[in-house]
Amino acid sequence: MGWSIALHGGAGDIPRSLPPERREPREAALRRCLQIGVEAIESGRSSLDVVELVVRELEDNPHFNAGKGSVLTSNGTVEMEACIMDGNTKKCGAVSGVKRVKNAISLARLVMERTPHIYLAFDGAEEFAREQGVEMVDPTEFITAENISRLQQAKEVDRVQIDYTPPPRDNDDDQLSTVGCVAVDGFGNLAAATSTGGLVNKMAGRIGDTPVVGAGTYANGLCAVSATGKGESIIRATVGRDVAALMEYRGMSLEEAALYVVRESAPPGTAGLVAVSATGEVTMQFNTTGMFRACATEDGYTEVGIW
């Protein structure tokens, strides 16, 4: 038995023509966050601590659609959501509609550990955050010039855009995307964490797959899964839980189960996932053009990729 970790920065129609100034900072961030996760696992941190730590780093990076880089609703506001799950206990916490919380993933963990509930949203979630002393910032801190431009472009054609959908105009700008991390530590403990700003030009109040346990985020004693893509499709396909169910009830390996869900359950062009098993297997699957992704295992295997 050995540890393994995988993380993603979103899936979608990522053009191969993505210019270096757009691609390289994201690849560098994936490598840095992967190294942070590996060092945390090797130092004895639990899988739950590791996935929270890595996702916090990704939330703080404006190149991804979570935290600082969150895309905008049709009202021009940020509504972030996140979920974290402990595979050993199946305890989980989720939040939606937060506008001032610096790191939504840490608030989700507090929901899991300090309330009798699983899911808090909007004003209730932010009130709980204030009670817990969670770091809050002005909502404008999350709004970037790139995301204002993306919203304007989406509004021009009245479109809600999936992660990395090319903009309506013929240029090289690109869409930002959901982030997530899964890990199994040296004791076989599994955990998953996912965070996002959602879809460009989404209706205010829309909730996607990320905070829906069993859809965008899931972990049990067999595997941990974090999904990315079009939330509505991922929810309908119950992506996270189906990977675990195929392993549990049909005896599939992690890779077989993940491939089946991505290729057969989720519609083409809508989903990607990263997953690890209790025995240290790792898989990163997607049915989109690409997915920003990275993984490492105790035996020395490392991968960072897009297409």
Side-chain angles (χ1 to χ4, degrees):
M1 181 183 298
W3 59 258
S4 63
I5 181 173
L7 55 123
H8 68 75
D13 189 13
I14 307 171
R16 289 186 177 271
S17 61
L18 196 64
E21 63 268 21
R22 296 286 182 176
R23 171 177 50 82
E24 292 172 359
R26 291 175 170 83
E27 289 178 323
L30 291 175
R31 289 190 179 93
R32 185 176 65 84
C33 289
L34 180 63
Q35 185 60 34
I36 288 171
V38 168
E39 290 175 357
I41 290 178
E42 291 182 333
S43 71
R45 300 282 296 274
S46 71
S47 57
L48 193 65
D49 286 344
V50 170
V51 297
E52 180 190 5
L53 175 66
V54 170
V55 170
R56 280 179 63 95
E57 290 291 327
L58 290 164
E59 287 176 335
D60 290 342
N61 190 308
H63 294 294
F64 298 106
N65 176 16
K68 175 63 177 176
S70 293
V71 298
L72 306 181
T73 71
S74 58
N75 291 344
T77 58
V78 166
E79 291 183 357
M80 299 170 289
E81 50 195 30
C83 182
I84 193 167
M85 188 164 185
D86 179 356
N88 269 4
T89 63
K90 293 187 182 177
K91 290 183 178 180
C92 43
V95 295
S96 282
V98 293
K99 299 179 180 182
R100 297 175 178 272
V101 176
K102 184 174 183 289
N103 293 107
I105 194 64
S106 292
L107 180 60
R109 183 169 181 177
L110 289 173
V111 172
M112 177 182 76
E113 295 180 339
R114 299 185 184 179
T115 81
H117 309 303
I118 290 174
Y119 203 152
L120 292 179
F122 298 94
D123 291 346
E126 296 216 323
E127 181 180 353
F128 175 67
R130 286 189 289 271
E131 291 172 354
Q132 296 298 311
V134 169
E135 185 175 359
M136 312 279 277
V137 298
D138 189 281
T140 59
E141 290 292 315
F142 298 111
I143 298 175
T144 66
E146 289 82 359
N147 283 338
I148 292 173
S149 176
R150 294 295 304 190
L151 177 61
Q152 291 171 342
Q153 293 168 3
K155 282 181 172 292
E156 287 175 6
V157 292
D158 192 25
R159 186 166 73 179
V160 176
Q161 294 181 182
I162 189 176
D163 294 342
Y164 289 105
T165 301
R169 298 170 183 165
D170 185 17
N171 61 39
D172 287 327
D173 195 10
D174 64 293
Q175 167 81 4
L176 307 174
S177 194
T178 300
V179 305
C181 182
V182 293
V184 57
D185 59 33
F187 300 98
N189 302 314
L190 290 146
T194 316
S195 182
T196 189
L199 299 177
V200 179
N201 200 30
K202 66 180 181 179
M203 294 175 63
R206 178 261 187 187
I207 294 172
D209 68 289
T210 290
V212 178
V213 176
T217 310
Y218 190 72
N220 64 5
L222 293 173
C223 66
V225 183
S226 175
T228 176
K230 187 173 183 179
E232 285 73 11
S233 295
I234 293 170
I235 291 171
R236 293 185 185 107
T238 57
V239 165
R241 174 56 189 159
D242 272 16
V243 172
L246 288 169
M247 294 178 69
E248 183 174 358
Y249 300 124
R250 293 184 59 179
M252 288 187 177
S253 68
L254 176 71
E255 184 169 6
E256 289 171 336
L259 276 170
Y260 183 89
V261 169
V262 168
R263 293 180 180 179
E264 305 296 332
S265 298
T270 65
L273 64 83
V274 296
V276 295
S277 75
T279 57
E281 296 173 276
V282 61
T283 190
M284 304 184 290
Q285 303 294 335
F286 52 96
N287 64 22
T288 54
T289 303
M291 180 173 71
F292 283 99
R293 63 196 187 276
C295 72
T297 63
E298 188 172 359
D299 63 9
Y301 177 76
T302 300
E303 178 184 342
V304 178
I306 305 174
W307 298 283

